[in-house]
DNA sequence: TGCATTTTATGATTAAAATCATAAAACAAG
DNA sequence: CTTGTTTTATGATTTTAATCATAAAATGCA
């Protein structure tokens, strides 16, 4: 998103996070802009009985957690490292200064927020009105376009666990397992030693 | 929100829409920036068996439909006038020119997108993991802060129909009616001749 | 290499919201 | 004022995904 040169010029520091480390926590006020150098970060909520909902998964080069930063509101979700990660951390004031002095970065931020809003619009409609098969397929097809799924001779490898698919679509893991099997029977996707291809 | 002076300077035209008129349709490519002068617009989807999901409701002064405009993607939902409305329509090229030449407007757009992303994050988590009472209350409390609910001696008047609440939370109208009654019994809200107060 | 944990899997049962049916009250339009 | 439509309401029934229980396979790591 923001080039290494520019973000470092404004005083960003690099920080490493181990797997399962918390980057920030639901309810806290935002102090920084975060941009992933390497690794994988998920943003998620837990309801009262511990059930998780994954808001999104972010990869190298992507930023996350900006909306509350712009609004001075508390984080609505947690950010957790799914695997070891290295992240640029830029204090809010420096970030705002960077934006002011580099109007083109604003456009990048807008495009990024627009992309995420688009994803949320599509998935919100899916989750609230569509049945499991439709939801899972939509998530997978979105993932092919916007998450970093790799294509090989079997098609696109959907490298999410059944649990992750459930946490992204609001379904329980058993339902996802059964749904994926049904979708395979219908020829919508392939299962090759437990991995899902589309 | 772009000032009347500025938006007109860049060639926006005013257009009126009657109740139930379509402003744009799901699947079409965006050509314009839209900003409401007066009236009320809803963005919503219909699933295969006609069930509606309302993405958001927008009021005077607010803009809508920008994400696909920035991304050159098809609209993921329809925009429909809930009541007679007047809207500024600014062609994409003019809008982009306006943004380039007025960097402060970019910040406004960012804040607006951030706000909508925040709402979607909160509601997505609600819809996928919370039970009806929790969902309905969350929507109402969000509405008090961000939709234009009026306060009187009974509290905030939630001027949504039960059907609208259902379409915003992914619940059926009968479920909303029963849920609201339960919430009243629990003292979370008031029902005064069928109107809901909080 | 062995052991603990995670992931995938499947069957049986349950619970909760959707669906179906029906109607009264409120509101809007002519 | 009358009539048609929308909104709110309630009871009975059904459906579907969640839950519960259990286990094999795969993976991670000490």
């Amino acid at each position: 998103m923001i080039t290494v040169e520019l973000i470092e010029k404004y005083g960003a520091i690099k920080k490493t996070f181990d797997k399962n480390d918390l980057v920030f926590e639901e309810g806290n006020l935002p102090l920084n802009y975060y941009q992933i150098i390497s690794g994988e970060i998920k943003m998620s909520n837990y309801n009262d009985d511990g059930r998780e909902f994954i808001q999104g998964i972010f990869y190298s080069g992507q930023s996350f957690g900006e909306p509350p930063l712009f609004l001075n509101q508390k984080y609505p979700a947690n950010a957790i490292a799914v695997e070891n990660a290295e992240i640029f951390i830029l204090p809010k004031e420096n970030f705002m200064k960077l934006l002011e002095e580099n109007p083109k970065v604003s456009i990048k931020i807008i495009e990024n927020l627009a992309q995420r809003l688009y994803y949320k619009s599509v998935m919100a409609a899916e989750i609230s009105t569509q049945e499991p098969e439709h939801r899972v397929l939509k998530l997978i097809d979105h993932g092919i376009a916007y998450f970093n799924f790799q294509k090989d001779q079997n098609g696109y490898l959907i490298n999410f666990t059944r649990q992750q698919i459930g946490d992204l679509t609001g379904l329980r893991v058993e339902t996802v397992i059964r749904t994926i099997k049904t979708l395979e029977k219908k020829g919508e996707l392939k299962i090759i030693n437990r991995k899902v291809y589309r």
Side-chain angles (χ1 to χ4, degrees), chain A:
Chain A
M1 274 292 295
I2 301 178
T3 63
V4 173
E5 196 189 16
L6 192 61
I7 201 169
E8 284 186 331
K9 181 177 156 196
Y10 281 82
I13 59 152
K14 289 181 191 179
K15 194 172 167 194
T16 58
F17 292 84
D18 292 335
K19 185 175 177 175
N20 295 325
D21 276 358
L22 207 57
V23 181
F24 57 69
E25 198 173 358
E26 180 174 353
N28 287 353
L29 278 171
L31 302 170
N32 304 293
Y33 167 82
Y34 298 94
Q35 184 173 303
I36 302 171
I37 300 165
S38 66
E40 191 177 331
I41 303 291
K42 75 171 172 188
M43 290 205 47
S44 64
N45 298 93
Y46 297 91
N47 78 353
D48 305 327
D49 28 75
R51 186 167 172 195
E52 185 174 15
F53 174 71
I54 300 178
Q55 295 282 354
I57 300 182
F58 301 92
Y59 303 94
S60 122
Q62 298 186 296
S63 57
F64 57 93
E66 305 95 309
L69 184 69
F70 285 112
L71 303 167
N72 285 310
Q73 283 176 320
K74 293 171 182 172
Y75 283 118
N78 306 288
I80 299 164
V82 177
E83 52 184 44
N84 293 359
E86 194 173 18
I87 299 181
F88 273 126
I89 298 185
L90 182 64
K92 181 172 176 174
E93 293 71 45
N94 306 30
F95 174 60
M96 291 306 183
K97 191 150 181 277
L98 186 156
L99 274 193
E100 267 172 40
E101 296 172 0
N102 303 271
K104 277 179 189 161
V105 173
S106 293
I107 302 293
K108 281 273 169 220
I109 299 281
I110 286 176
E111 285 171 359
N112 186 244
L113 292 180
Q115 185 62 69
R116 279 148 62 183
L117 204 42
Y118 195 92
Y119 167 74
K120 288 221 175 286
S121 297
V122 170
M123 286 312 295
E126 285 294 317
I127 289 171
S128 36
T129 69
Q130 302 287 7
E131 52 201 27
E133 289 179 32
H134 203 282
R135 290 196 216 181
V136 169
L137 269 191
K138 198 71 149 196
L139 175 76
I140 286 175
D141 287 343
H142 179 274
I144 287 170
Y146 302 108
F147 296 125
N148 54 7
F149 293 155
Q150 305 300 312
K151 192 172 191 175
D152 67 17
Q153 69 277 10
N154 299 313
Y156 286 97
L157 169 63
I158 312 307
N159 65 342
F160 283 151
T161 64
R162 314 292 197 263
Q163 183 65 61
Q164 284 180 315
I165 292 174
D167 293 343
L168 284 158
T169 55
L171 298 168
R172 310 270 21 187
V173 65
E174 299 95 325
T175 304
V176 173
I177 288 166
R178 294 185 244 253
T179 300
I180 285 178
K181 291 214 183 273
T182 309
L183 286 170
E184 191 203 19
K185 284 204 194 80
K186 291 186 176 173
E188 295 286 352
L189 35 79
K190 278 176 268 184
I191 305 177
I192 297 165
N193 58 37
R194 298 173 156 219
K195 294 190 195 314
V196 178
Y197 292 88
R198 165 103 167 143

